[in-house]
Amino acid sequence: MTKKRISRGKFEKMQQLSNQDGVIAALAIDQRGSMKKMMESAVGPDTYNIDMVYEFKGLVSQELTKYVSAILLDEELGFKGIQDKNPQAGLILSYEKTGYDANTPGRLPELLPDMSAQRLIAKGADAAKVLVYFNPDEADEIIQKKLGFLERLGDEARAADIPVFVEPIVYDDKITDDHSPEFAKIKPKKVIDTIKELTKDKYHIDVLKVEVPVLFKYVEGYTENDDSHVYTQEEALSYFKEASDAATRPFIYLSAGVPTKTFQEELRFAKLAGATYSGILGGRATWFEGVAAYAENGKEGLVKWLDTTGKANVETLNTILKDGAVPWYDAYGGLENIEVFDLNLAD
C-alpha cells in the first residue's frame, strides 16, 4: 500500500480526538434549533429561557467528557461546554449554519459567516464539523454546488492544518418522511453512493460522520412487529458491509436521534457485518433522557442523572467500541504506513 502522507497538525489533532486504541469515542451535543425545542417542550414555554440550554450543554460536557475521547459542540449555545469540558477530551466545533433555506432548492449548506478554520483553531478546536444534506440522486446542478462547496472546505482545512469531519445526511425530494418504510427501501443505496463519492481524495475529508445505511427499526428481528420489516437480517448485514467497503477514508457513525438501546444494537450489528468503522459521535442516544431529569429536578437532578445513567450509557458504548471499532489510521494501512510531514505556513 502506498504511504499515506498526513500533515503534522492534522495527525496530532486526530490522535487528540481518539482514545488509546485510535478510536474516536466521541460525544455530540451541537444541536441548536432542535435543542431549544427539546428544552422548551420539557420545561414548558412559560418556564423556558435560553440560559437553561447554556447550562444543560455545559453540564453534559463537564460530566460526560470524563469518559469520552472528544466532544462535538457549537459555540452559539455550547460555549459553556467548551469551557467546562475535560481538558483531556478533544474538541470538535460545528462550522455550518444550522438548518437550511427552505426557499432555495437543494438544501444548500452554508458556513457560519463570522467563522473560519483559523478562528475555530483559535477557540481550541481539534477539528471542524460540517453537516451537508446530500441526495446522490438529485439534479446534477445541485450536486455540483455541494461538491464544489466541499472541495473549498477541504482546501481551507488543509491550509489551516485542521481535520474536517463531514456529516452527510441523505434525503429524497419525493419521499419526505425519512422514517417511513418507503424511505427505508431507498436509504441503503443513497448512503452507499454518498460514501463512495465523499471519501474520494479530492475532497480532503478526514472523517466521514455517517448514518448507518438502514432504518434499523425495519430490520427483521429488531422491529416492533415482525411483519413490518423492510430488510431481512442478511440484507441489512450486506448493506452495512457494502457501505463500509465503499469508504476509502475513516468513517464513524452518528446516532441520528435513535433511542439509546437502538444505537447500541446498531453498533453491535455493524461488527457482525464486518464494518470497519472507527468510532462514533453519539448524541441524543447518550444524553436525551437528561433533558427530562433537568426539567424535573434542575441542575442537581441533571448532574445526578449524568453521573449514573449518562455515565452508564457512555461506558456501554465504550465497551461496544472496544469490541467492534477499528483505529482511524487502519483506513491507511496502520500507523506504520503514515508519513507525517510539517506543513510550512506563512506567518
Side-chain angles (χ1 to χ4, degrees):
M1 179 181 285
T2 304
K3 284 270 188 180
K4 173 65 179 178
R5 299 185 77 243
I6 301 178
S7 60
R8 188 171 304 280
K10 283 199 175 198
F11 179 81
E12 291 179 350
K13 289 178 173 65
M14 285 293 294
Q15 292 290 70
Q16 174 64 32
L17 295 164
S18 307
N19 63 20
Q20 67 275 11
D21 298 318
V23 169
I24 300 166
L27 174 70
I29 185 166
D30 65 323
Q31 291 81 358
R32 284 162 273 183
S34 62
M35 186 75 246
K36 294 176 185 177
K37 291 176 183 176
M38 275 185 261
M39 187 61 69
E40 184 173 2
S41 175
V43 303
D46 294 335
T47 304
Y48 169 78
N49 67 76
I50 193 64
D51 289 339
M52 294 177 172
V53 174
Y54 302 152
E55 183 171 64
F56 182 84
K57 289 199 175 199
L59 290 171
V60 168
S61 179
Q62 173 185 293
E63 298 303 308
L64 295 188
T65 53
K66 301 170 187 175
Y67 318 110
V68 299
S69 68
I71 185 169
L72 166 62
L73 283 158
D74 62 293
E75 188 190 25
E76 178 187 352
L77 302 180
F79 58 90
K80 285 183 64 66
I82 296 170
Q83 297 167 6
D84 297 341
K85 77 173 185 68
N86 187 307
Q88 300 304 311
L91 176 64
I92 308 165
L93 285 180
S94 292
Y95 189 13
E96 83 281 355
K97 288 179 67 174
T98 186
Y100 55 87
D101 182 358
N103 297 315
T104 302
R107 306 188 187 187
L108 299 178
E110 188 175 353
L111 299 179
L112 292 168
D114 60 345
M115 200 53 61
S116 69
Q118 292 287 4
R119 290 185 178 191
L120 292 175
I121 292 171
K123 293 177 184 298
D126 297 297
K129 185 276 300 186
V130 174
L131 183 151
V132 178
Y133 291 96
F134 199 82
N135 177 8
D137 304 307
E138 200 155 33
D140 188 61
E141 177 185 1
I142 298 296
I143 291 177
Q144 293 308 317
K145 288 180 180 179
K146 293 179 181 180
L147 296 183
F149 169 88
L150 290 172
E151 287 175 14
R152 291 191 298 273
L153 173 68
D155 285 342
E156 183 190 4
R158 278 206 301 165
D161 210 8
I162 184 174
V164 61
F165 286 48
V166 170
E167 177 182 349
I169 302 297
V170 301
Y171 68 98
D172 188 84
D173 291 320
K174 296 176 182 176
I175 304 175
T176 55
D177 182 359
D178 58 6
H179 297 287
S180 66
E182 292 74 22
F183 189 79
K185 294 173 184 176
I186 64 173
K187 181 176 181 178
K189 184 177 184 300
K190 287 185 182 292
V191 172
I192 292 164
D193 287 349
T194 298
I195 291 173
K196 284 180 180 177
E197 180 63 39
L198 299 190
T199 56
K200 291 179 179 177
D201 287 347
K202 64 181 178 179
Y203 303 113
H204 303 291
I205 293 168
D206 297 282
V207 176
L208 209 59
K209 177 190 174 191
V210 298
E211 307 163 85
V212 299
V214 299
L215 285 181
F216 205 70
K217 64 180 180 178
Y218 294 117
V219 176
E220 181 185 25
Y222 295 91
T223 62
E224 293 182 4
N225 180 343
D226 286 341
D227 296 329
S228 65
H229 73 266
V230 171
Y231 327 96
T232 65
Q233 288 197 25
E234 291 75 15
E235 288 170 336
L237 286 167
S238 70
Y239 289 138
F240 269 81
K241 185 66 164 64
E242 188 177 355
S244 173
D245 289 348
T248 58
R249 287 171 175 254
F251 72 93
I252 61 177
Y253 291 124
L254 65 148
S255 56
V258 300
T260 304
K261 297 298 182 185
T262 301
F263 189 46
Q264 295 168 3
E265 288 173 343
E266 289 175 347
L267 297 176
R268 294 188 181 103
F269 200 82
K271 188 207 172 178
L272 286 176
T276 53
Y277 72 102
S278 294
I280 60 169
L281 264 165
R284 284 166 285 183
T286 304
W287 51 258
F288 176 71
E289 294 175 9
V291 178
Y294 181 75
E296 292 170 13
N297 297 300
K299 176 179 178 180
E300 293 73 18
L302 175 59
V303 170
K304 181 178 179 180
W305 185 91
L306 290 169
D307 289 344
T308 52
T309 305
K311 177 184 178 183
N313 288 344
V314 172
E315 290 184 333
T316 297
L317 289 172
N318 286 341
T319 299
I320 294 170
L321 293 176
K322 184 78 173 177
D323 182 54
V326 303
W328 67 267
Y329 37 77
D330 274 15
Y332 304 123
L335 281 177
E336 65 278 4
N337 202 50
I338 292 176
E339 178 186 338
V340 178
F341 68 94
D342 291 305
L343 187 66
N344 295 318
L345 297 175
D347 292 333

